[in-house]
């Protein structure tokens, strides 16, 4: 069999480990031919394709980013809504010309939706969920999330000591797009006092009160972790909005740190390396058994798969009754309510 593999959307730690997991299982165990498609879906359009052998898959397990390159697939989402568009036909022709039996698409929500559309046009597709945001519907966890939470937690740990020394409020803005998974997990792991998520309503006065109460109880500093997707007045970045408004309302010196892209750059954690390898290996098993139109996923401790049709167009967000949110409430952490 001949398979193509591409990565699409924002990069994240573990893509290379996934490519390796798919490719090595395919070549070593099943004798398949594996082709790397460069720059995401545009690689199929521009025919940026190269065969991968065992040696090109060596030494990449611990590398950040993606050796195949990536691109945002917004234009493909639009384009694929019109199956007769010239570009759609070019993609279909590219797949046929190469004689591919399957296309493996590593990506987040947008990619899985595009993958579903391509599968509806007759291409054999397997999706593999990737994103630091952990917001892909249909899987308990995405690879990249653990690494991002480790990085954000280490940053919050470091911010604690400077916050204490200066008796300041420190606002830490983390990534996550519309979802608060990184804020919730890094906030809980880093011992934040206030955790603000895009999914939960925020009462600003309650946030100020909580910070004020802490100072009155003799706790000389507070750590506020805020997800980048939290909506603010005038669409200001939540980090700078909360920094200014907390200082104004409480009179306590407040500083902000925006963690940004360091959360998704660099080497994947051991957990993500294993998860990526498992998801990649499982994708190849599905290909071998001819089970297409599916996304590999994690359910509990098991790797399994779900139809792309079910996943397409959905987001996995933090629910108000999330176990960690409930625990945090019981421990006195403020979620802005
Ligand atoms: O989806 C991953 C992510 O890093 C989000 O957390 C963030 O909002 C977005 O990508 C940033 O996207 P870009 O790479 O287009 O700046």
């Amino acid at each position: 069999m001949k398979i193509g593999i591409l990565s699409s959307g924002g990069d994240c730690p573990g893509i290379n480990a996934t490519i390796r997991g798919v490719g090595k299982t395919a070549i070593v165990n099943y004798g398949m031919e594996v082709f790397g498609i460069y720059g995401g879906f545009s690689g199929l359009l521009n025919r940026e394709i190269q065969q991968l052998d065992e040696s090109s898959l060596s030494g990449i397990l611990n590398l950040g980013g993606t050796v195949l390159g990536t691109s945002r697939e917004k234009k493909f989402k639009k384009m694929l809504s019109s199956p007769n568009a010239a570009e759609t036909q070019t993609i279909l022709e590219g797949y046929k010309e190469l004689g591919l039996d399957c296309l493996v698409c590593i990506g987040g929500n947008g990619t899985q939706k595009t993958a579903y559309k391509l599968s509806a046009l007759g291409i054999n597709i397997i999706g593999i969920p990737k994103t630091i945001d952990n917001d892909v519907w249909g899987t308990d966890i995405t690879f990249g999330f653990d690494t991002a939470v480790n990085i954000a937690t280490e940053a919050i740990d470091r911010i604690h000591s400077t916050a204490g020394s200066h008796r300041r409020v420190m606002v830490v803005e983390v990534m996550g797009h519309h979802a608060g998974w990184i804020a919730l997990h890094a906030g809980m792991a880093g011992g934040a006092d206030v955790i603000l998520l895009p999914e939960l309503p925020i009462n600003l006065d309650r946030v100020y009160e909580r910070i004020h109460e802490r100072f009155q109880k003799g706790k000389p500093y507070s750590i506020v972790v805020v997800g980048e997707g939290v909506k603010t007045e005038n669409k200001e970045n939540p980090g700078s909005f909360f920094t200014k408004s907390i200082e104004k309302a409480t009179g306590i010196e407040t500083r902000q740190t925006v963690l940004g892209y360091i959360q998704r750059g660099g080497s994947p954690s051991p957990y993500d390396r294993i998860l990526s390898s498992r998801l990649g290996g499982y994708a190849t098993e599905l290909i071998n058994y001819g089970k297409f139109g599916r996304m590999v996923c994690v359910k509990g401790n098991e790797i399994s798969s779900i139809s792309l049709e079910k996943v397409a167009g959905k987001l996995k967000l933090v629910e108000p009754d999330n176990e960690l949110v409930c625990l945090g409430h019981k421990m006195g952490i403020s979620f802005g309510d």
Side-chain angles (χ1 to χ4, degrees), residues 1 3 30 32 95 101-105 112 115 119 122-128 279-297 303-309:
M1 283 180 109
I3 66 174
Y30 291 113
M32 297 174 183
Y95 178 81
D101 296 295
C102 178
L103 180 64
V104 178
C105 302
Q112 302 309 328
S119 83
I123 294 189
N124 293 334
I125 300 265
I126 298 293
I128 306 184
L279 290 169
Y282 196 84
T284 307
E285 301 297 337
L286 289 180
I287 297 169
N288 183 53
Y289 290 112
K291 285 180 121 190
F292 302 118
R294 303 190 70 76
M295 182 186 84
V296 294
C297 62
I303 306 290
S304 69
S305 71
I306 180 169
S307 86
L308 279 167
E309 188 176 5

Side-chain angles (χ1 to χ4, degrees), residues 9-12 72 74 130-133 135 174-178 182 228 260-261 263-264:
D11 71 342
C12 93
R72 290 277 181 206
K74 281 190 183 119
K130 81 72 262 226
T131 169
I132 61 165
D133 304 338
D135 61 353
V174 298
M175 277 189 165
H177 208 215
H178 297 303
I182 299 178
E228 65 175 357
Y261 292 91
Q263 291 161 102
R264 72 180 213 207

